[in-house]
Amino acid sequence: AQTDNILGYYVNVERIPNSCRNSPNRIFQKDRKVLLNLSLAYYRVNISAYNEAGESPQAMYIVPEFSATDLPGQIHVKHHGSNAIVTWTPQYNPNCFVVDWGTGKEDMYMKIVTTTAGNFTLDNIQPYKLYRIMVHASDVCQCENFIRHEKTFGVTQFYSVEGVPRTGPANVTILNITKHTTFVKWTAISTEDCLGFLQGYRITYTDLSSKNSLAVTLNSSTTSYHLKGLKEKTLYRVQICGFTSAGEGPPTLSQPFSTPKYGTVKALCTCVAQHQS
């Protein structure tokens, strides 16, 4: 019933991080849609309705990350201890660059870089954490609202030091067991648990009677695999681990399963995940 009395909407757009402590950019809107021309920085959008009696509580929306495959610039990162040197080659000469870096929406920092050389040093970089760096070109260099002025030049992600995954994949499940094949699926290791760029998964399946093992290496986007070449009436166990450039993490073990002599076993197998201490 109150919808009939709405006169319009307030749309507050705030850049994250808001290091300049500027007031959000407020837009007055009659319609229930608005077109925003934004850079690839994070933004917080608060929307409220208003009528003659006043303003409603705000609904908050965080503009999600976008893929940055078609940006004009390349960003390079070199590590020196706990510092990281970020360099880029400008394709034109804006008045300055605005650099955002951090580990996520709630942990972002901003710096205005006025040098034309295209470099910046980050300090106190923590190992085993994924950092995101965004460089935006801007013709306005004072500490003000950059929403109307900046355009994203390049985006990259990096680890100062990579580790091995601290856990194996979750929900390892064995399906459709026949006398020579079975289907294995699992849930991907989360970014927080990878501690480095995940390069892939290694599946090892072992004949528990002979202790003979075979291994298959898969890319990081794969979360299922059709195992072939099994022996009938044989007890097997599957283990799956993820690996980064630093090596393999702890495996997740399936419960032992037996291949039948005839037909197909539909039963699922639960799993046991091991964690890095």
Side-chain angles (χ1 to χ4, degrees), residues 44-112:
R44 182 184 293 111
V45 180
N46 292 301
I47 303 172
S48 59
Y50 67 93
N51 59 17
E52 293 180 352
E55 184 178 351
S56 74
Q58 293 181 332
M60 187 180 72
Y61 176 74
I62 301 295
V63 177
E65 294 181 14
F66 292 93
S67 60
T69 56
D70 58 349
L71 295 178
Q74 296 291 326
I75 302 174
H76 304 281
V77 182
K78 292 185 178 180
H79 313 121
H80 292 278
S82 62
N83 294 341
I85 299 176
V86 184
T87 59
W88 61 90
T89 303
Q91 293 191 337
Y92 69 101
N93 293 318
N95 291 336
C96 62
F97 290 95
V98 182
V99 182
D100 295 329
W101 76 97
T103 58
K105 300 179 183 70
E106 305 305 322
D107 180 43
M108 295 297 292
Y109 303 90
M110 186 190 84
K111 178 75 173 180
I112 300 172

Side-chain angles (χ1 to χ4, degrees), residues 11-14 25-27 29 33-39 43-47 61 63 66 147:
V11 181
N12 295 329
V13 183
E14 182 182 6
N25 190 32
R26 171 165 273 205
I27 301 169
Q29 195 73 16
K33 62 181 178 180
V34 61
L35 177 63
L36 300 173
N37 187 13
L38 304 175
S39 71
Y43 289 90
R44 182 184 293 111
V45 180
N46 292 301
I47 303 172
Y61 176 74
V63 177
F66 292 93
I147 292 176

